[in-house]
Amino acid sequence: MAAPMLRGCCLGRHWALACIDGGSRHGRGAATGFTSSGKRGQSFVAQQPHITAQKSRKGEHKWEAVVGLEIHAQIASNSKLFSGSQVHFAAPPNSLVSFFDASLPGTLPVLNRRCVEAAVMTGLALNCHINKKSLFDRKHYFYADLPAGYQITQQRLPIAVNGSLAYSVCVGKRWRQVITKTVRIKQIQLEQDSGKSLHDELRSQTLIDLNRAEGQLRVDANISVHHPGEPLGVRTEVKNLNSARFLARAIDYEIQRQINELENGCEILNETRSFDYKLGCTVPMRDKEGKQDYRFMPEPNLPPLLLYDTASLPAGADPQQVINIDQIREQLPELPSETREKLIQQYGMLPEHSFALLNEVGLLEFFQNVIKETRAEPKKVTSWVLNIFLGFLKQQNLAVNESPVTPSALAELLNLLDRKVISSSAAKQVFEELWRGKGKTPSQIVSERKLELMQDAEALERVCHAVMEGHPQVVMDMKRGNPRAINKLIGLVRKATHSRADPTVIKEILEKQLSS
């Protein structure tokens, strides 16, 4: 089995306060036991707590909820953590199983270099201290998807410790106020993934797939509630949450469930629960009172994992036989927080717009490509990408790379708009035509549909004069200072010109003729 997984844990008692949905939340999470399954996965467990203040005891006290998140993330690798078996999603069951994966006697683990490098890079991205010496341990428990009877992990001395992740929360009116929060990461460890249990209810049997399990990410949430200043409450663990939405729903439900239980004089059991997404509630799986001792012990078949930096690198060392932390640090890509800050500084972008560009896969690259090819102001490009382009994508449930409108086409359209060749309303008509994917350029569409703005000033003045003569009452209202009158006249002129006149120019002509 031996799947590579990264697992990270958060520290307790030092969680930042976060405001979510108007409530006061902060948290702290004690490191919890972890389970991982699958094959070549690296399990990254980051426990992130938050505390929610709730009214209780008839308004007498408030509750604090402590939440620790244990995040398991699979490493993108071609082979498993401790064997050469390949990794392919949705491969036929047990088609990618080596002798070691099947735990045959005499087989030994061989550590995958790619997984170690990925763990180091993750640790650096999360501001962790990278241990130059880390150890592997055996975690013993019996379950059918673990044929060896133990799991190889890093309990005592993991590869990375004491990290932090800063994140921003948009709050306030229209979400324009940004508050920065920090989550502390207790540790990141490489961990073997177990197999996957396939339950056949029709035949009342369970089959085991030793290829690998799970998806790319899953989270276990440890949750408890208590009154401020009092000892921590009994925690429950909600297992195997595989989306951020389900995670939030499970945490919110479990916090309120525990508060209700305690306020009704009941006790909270130290148990494992699962989240039923259809019912929107957590349900018991098993209690933790009688769980066995995992009997952690050093892994005898794996020596200590030694890493180096440039200063400690042995002279004449073979680059293929050692891992240089500083070299991996140089390969670290630009992190999202850095990218958002650059967008704000370089383009004067609002913080919430920087978040939107990064939250949609491929949208930032699309935006940057448009910027390269257009003379339009960045603010205008941002508006079109986030409002028009993204709106069309969401209407048809398309990814950015499935868009029928290319960055070059949008850039050409914005150039026409910037040069005042077309109006904003005409530009939207052109975009709709581009979205139909008929292979025409914006310029061709403008020419065929005669959408160019009127360039003949004298002709436009004659149209304005005719409109004013045909609507004397509106003109009278305009003279009396009615702000709606000018807008009505502008609309009438645009209708007469088939929306080919610039509203700003129309307004200037109307005001000039009115004062003459």
Side-chain angles (χ1 to χ4, degrees):
M1 303 167 308
M5 298 200 66
L6 256 189
R7 162 190 164 152
C9 300
C10 295
L11 293 172
R13 296 187 177 272
H14 301 289
W15 300 111
L17 184 68
C19 292
I20 302 177
D21 294 337
S24 172
R25 295 189 176 186
H26 71 276
R28 68 177 181 181
T32 63
F34 52 87
T35 50
S36 39
S37 20
K39 288 259 150 225
R40 179 181 186 191
Q42 174 176 301
S43 172
F44 162 67
V45 181
Q47 291 183 336
Q48 169 186 351
H50 60 247
I51 294 182
T52 305
Q54 299 278 353
K55 291 182 179 179
S56 64
R57 293 187 178 178
K58 297 181 180 180
E60 196 176 311
H61 297 287
K62 290 183 178 180
W63 291 100
E64 284 187 342
V66 181
V67 180
L69 300 184
E70 185 175 305
I71 303 171
H72 301 252
Q74 286 184 335
I75 298 174
S77 54
N78 295 323
S79 57
K80 299 178 183 180
L81 181 58
F82 295 123
S83 80
S85 295
Q86 301 237 330
V87 172
H88 290 299
F89 181 74
N94 297 309
S95 61
L96 304 172
V97 180
S98 69
F99 291 152
F100 175 80
D101 299 335
S103 301
L104 296 185
T107 56
L108 297 174
V110 178
L111 184 59
N112 186 314
R113 177 190 179 96
R114 157 65 186 150
C115 293
V116 177
E117 292 173 339
V120 172
M121 181 169 286
T122 303
L124 293 173
L126 292 173
N127 304 302
C128 291
H129 168 74
I130 307 299
N131 286 323
K132 293 181 180 178
K133 177 182 178 181
S134 59
L135 304 174
F136 288 94
D137 304 285
R138 287 186 179 183
K139 175 185 177 181
H140 294 83
Y141 65 92
F142 176 76
Y143 200 70
D145 60 11
L146 197 66
Y150 63 84
Q151 179 184 42
I152 301 177
T153 184
Q154 290 190 304
Q155 176 70 13
R156 296 170 298 156
L157 190 58
I159 195 167
V161 296
N162 300 332
S164 64
L165 173 62
Y167 65 98
S168 298
V169 180
C170 292
V171 297
K173 292 184 178 179
R174 302 184 66 180
W175 304 100
R176 290 194 173 180
Q177 182 182 356
V178 178
I179 299 176
T180 301
K181 305 292 180 182
T182 301
V183 173
R184 297 181 66 190
I185 309 297
K186 180 186 176 184
Q187 66 189 59
I188 294 175
Q189 59 200 62
L190 283 163
E191 183 173 280
Q192 178 186 14
D193 216 355
S194 60
K196 181 178 183 179
S197 298
L198 305 171
H199 304 289
D200 187 341
E201 296 181 0
L202 183 63
R203 301 178 182 178
S204 299
Q205 64 182 6
T206 296
L207 304 176
I208 304 298
D209 179 10
L210 296 180
N211 283 346
R212 75 184 295 177
E214 314 327 322
Q216 294 182 341
L217 184 73
R218 72 179 187 277
V219 181
D220 303 332
N222 289 269
I223 305 163
S224 69
V225 300
H226 68 285
H227 291 295
E230 295 182 3
L232 296 181
V234 176
R235 68 175 173 85
T236 60
E237 183 178 17
V238 183
K239 301 285 290 185
N240 295 329
L241 298 160
N242 58 12
S243 79
R245 185 163 61 95
F246 289 162
L247 173 64
R249 289 175 60 193
I251 290 173
D252 287 341
Y253 175 86
E254 185 60 19
I255 289 172
Q256 194 59 54
R257 184 193 72 84
Q258 293 188 20
I259 291 173
N260 292 340
E261 290 284 311
L262 293 171
E263 289 185 342
N264 289 322
C266 302
E267 293 184 353
I268 302 300
L269 300 179
N270 181 214
E271 61 183 353
T272 299
R273 302 176 70 89
S274 64
F275 180 67
D276 188 323
Y277 70 93
K278 293 182 180 179
L279 298 177
C281 65
T282 63
V283 294
M285 292 175 63
R286 60 180 183 272
D287 67 74
K288 290 178 172 287
E289 295 295 336
K291 71 177 181 181
Q292 64 177 337
D293 182 1
Y294 288 129
R295 293 175 292 127
F296 286 102
M297 62 168 282
E299 169 54 58
N301 294 325
L302 286 171
L305 175 58
L306 301 180
L307 307 176
Y308 301 90
D309 54 23
T310 303
S312 63
L313 192 66
D318 183 353
Q320 297 302 315
Q321 299 300 318
V322 297
I323 291 180
N324 188 330
I325 299 172
D326 292 332
Q327 191 175 59
I328 295 177
R329 193 190 309 274
E330 294 174 357
Q331 300 170 1
L332 196 67
E334 184 176 86
L335 301 178
S337 59
E338 298 171 338
T339 303
R340 288 194 295 267
E341 186 61 30
K342 282 187 177 180
L343 290 172
I344 293 171
Q345 296 297 327
Q346 184 174 357
Y347 302 119
M349 190 177 293
L350 293 173
E352 62 267 27
H353 291 165
S354 70
F355 279 98
L357 284 176
L358 267 70
N359 286 346
E360 193 77 25
V361 176
L363 191 60
L364 175 61
E365 183 180 2
F366 186 96
F367 168 81
Q368 292 173 330
N369 288 336
V370 175
I371 284 285
K372 291 177 184 176
E373 299 185 46
T374 185
R375 295 181 299 179
E377 290 292 325
K379 184 177 180 181
K380 177 70 72 175
V381 178
T382 302
S383 176
W384 269 80
V385 170
L386 294 182
N387 297 325
I388 309 299
F389 177 73
L390 188 57
F392 272 70
L393 287 178
K394 291 189 179 299
Q395 284 177 8
Q396 301 190 22
N397 196 27
L398 296 177
V400 174
N401 60 6
E402 297 173 318
S403 165
V405 178
T406 65
S408 297
L410 181 55
E412 182 183 344
L413 174 59
L414 292 178
N415 282 337
L416 294 174
L417 187 60
D418 184 65
R419 299 201 313 266
K420 299 187 183 301
V421 175
I422 56 176
S423 65
S424 295
S425 60
K428 292 176 182 177
Q429 294 179 48
V430 175
F431 186 87
E432 291 173 358
E433 187 69 21
L434 288 172
W435 195 265
R436 296 187 181 97
K438 296 182 179 179
K440 297 178 182 178
T441 67
S443 297
Q444 289 173 332
I445 296 171
V446 169
S447 177
E448 290 176 3
R449 299 182 60 175
K450 297 182 173 26
L451 296 174
E452 304 95 335
L453 285 174
M454 291 182 64
Q455 303 298 328
D456 189 335
E458 292 184 359
L460 183 56
E461 286 178 359
R462 289 195 293 271
V463 173
C464 290
H465 182 72
V467 168
M468 292 177 71
E469 284 192 337
H471 299 82
Q473 185 59 49
V474 180
V475 174
M476 186 63 66
D477 292 341
M478 183 177 170
K479 289 180 177 179
R480 291 171 180 168
N482 187 338
R484 294 183 179 180
I486 183 69
N487 292 332
K488 185 172 183 179
L489 287 175
I490 291 173
L492 291 170
V493 173
R494 283 178 56 76
K495 182 178 180 180
T497 60
H498 303 288
S499 298
R500 295 181 58 202
D502 187 336
T504 304
V505 177
I506 296 174
K507 184 178 181 181
E508 292 175 355
I509 294 175
L510 290 173
E511 290 176 340
K512 179 181 178 181
Q513 291 187 356
L514 187 65
S515 61
S516 61

